[in-house]
Amino acid sequence: MEPVNKPFRTGPLTVNTIMLLVIAALVPGTVIHIYLTGWGGLANLLVAAAAAMLFEYIVCVLRNKPVRETMGDHSALLTGLLIGLCLPPLVNLWIPIIAAAIAILLAKHIYGGLGNNIFNPAMVGYAAVLVSFPRDLSLWPTLPQSFDFGIIQTINIIANGGLVEYTHWDSLTGATTLDTARTSTGTAGQHITIGLERWTNIAFLCGGAVLLRLRLINWHIPVSLLATLSLCALIEQAINPNAAGLSVHLLAGATMLGAFFIATDPVSAAAGNTGRLIYGAGIGLLIWLIRTFGGYPDAVAFAVLLMNCTVPVLDYLEPWRWRK
Amino acid sequence: MNTRATKSIRSYQARVDRALRPATPITTRELPPTLQYRIAPGSRHNIVVNTDEHVHTGQTLVAAIADGPASIHAGSSGTITCKQTDSEGHTTIEIATDGYDSRRFKQAIGDKFRSMSSVQLQQLFHHNGLVGLGGACFPVAGKIAALESKPASVLLVNAVECDPAILCDRALLLEQASAAIRGIGIAAHACNAQKVIIAIKNDEPAIHTAVQNALEKNPVENSSICKVAADYPVGYERYLFASASEIPVPENTHPTALGLISFNVATCIAIAQLIDRGEPLFSRVTTVHKPTTGAIQNLHIRFGTPLNHLVQGSDTTLQSVAYSGLITENLPSRRTATISPASNCVILNPEATTQNDCIRCGLCADVCPASLQPQQLLTHSEPLDAKQLARHQLDRCIECGCCDTVCPSGIPLTRTFQQAMQAIHQQTLQIQAAERAKQRFAARQNRLERQSAESQAKLARKQAALTQRTKQSTPSADPRKQLLESALRRRSKKPKTDNTPPPP
Ligand code: SF4
Ligand code: SF4
């Protein structure tokens, strides 16, 4: 007769339910994303998610972990989906696979698996392919691309190297809102309109609100992130009226996805409330800095990864003592 | 306590409550073949029985020690075997029960208790094994003595069983409310309480009625019933004082220092049984859960009953046991293989769930009634980092188990903290011991130095006296000295050989 060393209670939530709820909250944004990006976007999601789960399975077997329980937490699925949501449609088939491999193998399991990773796995995978294949990843077809290409054609394109290989279709691609914002800064009189991606962002915002309502994420990170980003954008606009305005920063690119689904990944975010506020503010500031002065059109991945580095310090300083 | 915590735990509690709410009557089990009492090592025990001695139910096995543990009494008549120390230095007293359960109690006191003083009653309680039955097992007499014979301003009767799985106090109140009220009256007399508050949960009308009826029949002076919100961990003494008597007890202050004292209902019933029947404390009501069969029982069991005995009869064997309710958990030191006064609830063969790594979701921090950061405490508990743990105020953890309950990764946080606290306590003890040893060494060194200095001074004084005396007396006065001096002179005149060292 042994005293139990394992927990015997089942709390109201398990990791598995949390992940499933987060995935469910992603659904509306994802649907709009697919509507905008067509078969190409759907292919990204499917390939990335399948690859992530496959790699997770392989690692489970290699690490002698119970496959059903480890896979059952659905975190690999979520990582794959986040990668898929970041990639432009019609990229080379291998890009999502490589991103998923880096995310699951390097960013997650090398550190010891879910709970021990320092960096957000999805963002590590995305950032790795972003710096490795800059041309592929900067080619966004004009949205909505919807389902202009049929399934067969899409498969053909992605299996043969993606849109980059089809230079004669250059006319199809267009500058994303953030691209326009970046290149247009300083050109007087040019008005930047936000593309249809605003609907994706709004959908992610709604999904995030649901997560907040269910108390699956804390308000600190998204609120401080969005507040800092807005503040920076407003100051910038006050100085230079032609700069990308508040709405561009908030509703273009991956802002909302980042604020509610990526920055709030609890494993790689700060744990205390003060730490969370600083962490969110740091990401907001970095997004604005990289978008405004950096060489990449979108900045969420790098901002999140950079702030991930600060988490050990933020946690170490917890509990914060403002006054001695 | 923050509201989110309350909500989260409350919804969980409601779920569990619905499943467990059906009233569970108190049943008695037949006596086990042996009862075992494990006596902790140390000189603070005074075992008064010998091997092969025959004892009656209720006879003293281990005598009480003033300001120390209360006495321990035989749970059944039978033959004693004392097993000497095991690996941890415990002594086990075993009673082979004879099946007669022949009782020989001291004479009941009855209403004469009113003429007894508080000190006399404390003596009586202490020598009849009365300890708190709420889970902490603190001797009742010790608790009253901590009031330092000042009258208690409030006697709080804790009838708030906030853990959803622990049902024994509830059953006791429903079935033995009058005994409880009787005990409350005696306890109030023993601590000269100016005010008696009986705290019950606000969602249990049946208990309220039972207590009220009993109070009407047998009124206790200055008593009132207070209904408190049934949010876990309201039964925690400090919180209960705050919510029921509206007297906040600051941390680091023991309630008794403020003239506040609290007893569990089961303890009050034990007091009543002692006064009215002369029965010492050797049994309790324990809630026993058997998740494998889904059975929940409130069993009236003798202390020392091996837990194995509780699964006998069913086709399972006892493989594992959780010493806890669904949220609370007993201290590691109270996880014994037998029923002890602390066993308010045991879960036999619980279904273990898997444990994953912490995903730092922060749910535990949201429910912590002490506003701690359990996930940070966890990080610093393994490996143990006492400095960081102190920074994160581990000492404020009340071991309530709320954090475990919500943890999606199924991490036994509370247990980890209990172990960390124990380890830190050990470390402090070691440091203190080292410090004491150092001081002892320094004192010894000092003493030796002082002694040698003294003896040297003494010597110097003697020598000085001697020289004085020599100076006073003439050299020729002492013939022996003259002889010696002449011999020395002769010797120095001798020619030196080569190998003799030169004079210094
Ligand atoms: S609830 Fe569990 S998983 Fe979540 S932060 Fe606390 S310890 Fe970690
Ligand atoms: S056991 Fe300690 S850390 Fe956990 S919730 Fe209770 S007080 Fe907080």
Side-chain angles (χ1 to χ4, degrees), chain A residues 23 57 68 74 95 116 135 151 154 177 196 206 226 229 243 246 262 275-276 283 300 316:
Chain A
I23 291 172
Y57 176 77
R68 253 194 66 221
H74 304 295
I95 288 181
N116 300 306
R135 261 197 74 215
I151 300 183
T154 307
T177 314
L196 287 164
C206 298
L226 295 177
L229 184 59
L246 184 62
I262 296 171
R276 282 184 186 136
I283 295 177
V300 173
Y316 181 81

Side-chain angles (χ1 to χ4, degrees), chain A residues 114-187:
Chain A
L114 182 70
N116 300 306
N117 46 306
I118 301 177
F119 296 104
N120 185 318
M123 288 304 100
V124 173
Y126 172 65
V129 292
L130 183 59
V131 291
S132 313
F133 308 97
R135 261 197 74 215
D136 298 67
L137 290 213
S138 58
L139 275 187
W140 277 84
T142 326
L143 300 181
Q145 188 231 10
S146 292
F147 296 89
D148 293 356
F149 294 99
I151 300 183
I152 309 290
Q153 210 175 358
T154 307
I155 293 175
N156 252 329
I157 294 175
I158 62 173
N160 288 315
L163 207 55
V164 247
E165 301 294 331
Y166 295 74
T167 38
H168 53 285
W169 283 344
D170 251 1
S171 57
L172 277 176
T173 65
T176 62
T177 314
L178 285 172
D179 277 330
T180 330
R182 191 157 55 92
T183 46
S184 74
T185 313
T187 324

Side-chain angles (χ1 to χ4, degrees), chain A residues 56-77:
Chain A
E56 178 92 354
Y57 176 77
I58 294 173
V59 174
C60 279
V61 173
L62 287 181
R63 291 185 66 195
N64 273 332
K65 289 213 167 194
V67 172
R68 253 194 66 221
E69 281 157 18
T70 316
M71 295 286 290
D73 67 21
H74 304 295
S75 61
L77 176 61

Side-chain angles (χ1 to χ4, degrees), chain B residues 436-453:
Chain B
R436 268 201 304 277
K438 215 163 115 189
Q439 278 170 3
R440 261 203 315 274
F441 181 73
R444 178 168 181 270
Q445 210 67 359
N446 257 336
R447 197 182 62 232
L448 288 183
E449 269 167 30
R450 206 181 54 237
Q451 279 173 350
S452 78

Side-chain angles (χ1 to χ4, degrees), chain B residues 207-269:
Chain B
I207 290 182
H208 187 220
T209 328
V211 173
Q212 214 160 28
N213 289 344
L215 259 183
E216 272 161 25
K217 268 188 229 140
N218 190 356
V220 176
E221 268 173 48
N222 301 322
S223 64
S224 57
I225 298 177
C226 175
K227 291 195 200 176
V228 293
D231 301 319
Y232 188 86
V234 62
Y236 180 64
E237 194 181 37
R238 210 178 290 280
Y239 296 160
L240 194 60
F241 274 121
S243 56
S245 66
E246 282 162 18
I247 304 172
V249 181
E251 287 178 39
N252 308 324
T253 314
H254 200 270
T256 43
L258 304 176
L260 306 173
I261 191 164
S262 72
F263 287 121
N264 173 274
V265 257
T267 319
C268 294
I269 293 176

Side-chain angles (χ1 to χ4, degrees), chain A residues 2 4 7 9 269 315-316 318, chain B residues 319 326 353 360 391 410 415:
Chain A
E2 281 291 305
V4 275
R9 323 173 170 90
D315 279 354
Y316 181 81
E318 196 77 33
Chain B
Q319 270 139 12
L326 271 174
T353 55
R360 298 160 43 94
R391 234 170 71 88
R415 188 174 315 158

Side-chain angles (χ1 to χ4, degrees), chain A residues 206-226:
Chain A
C206 298
V210 172
L211 288 187
L212 275 178
R213 182 75 194 78
L214 292 177
R215 299 173 187 279
L216 287 177
I217 56 176
N218 286 67
W219 58 267
H220 305 78
I221 293 175
V223 167
S224 80
L225 189 158
L226 295 177

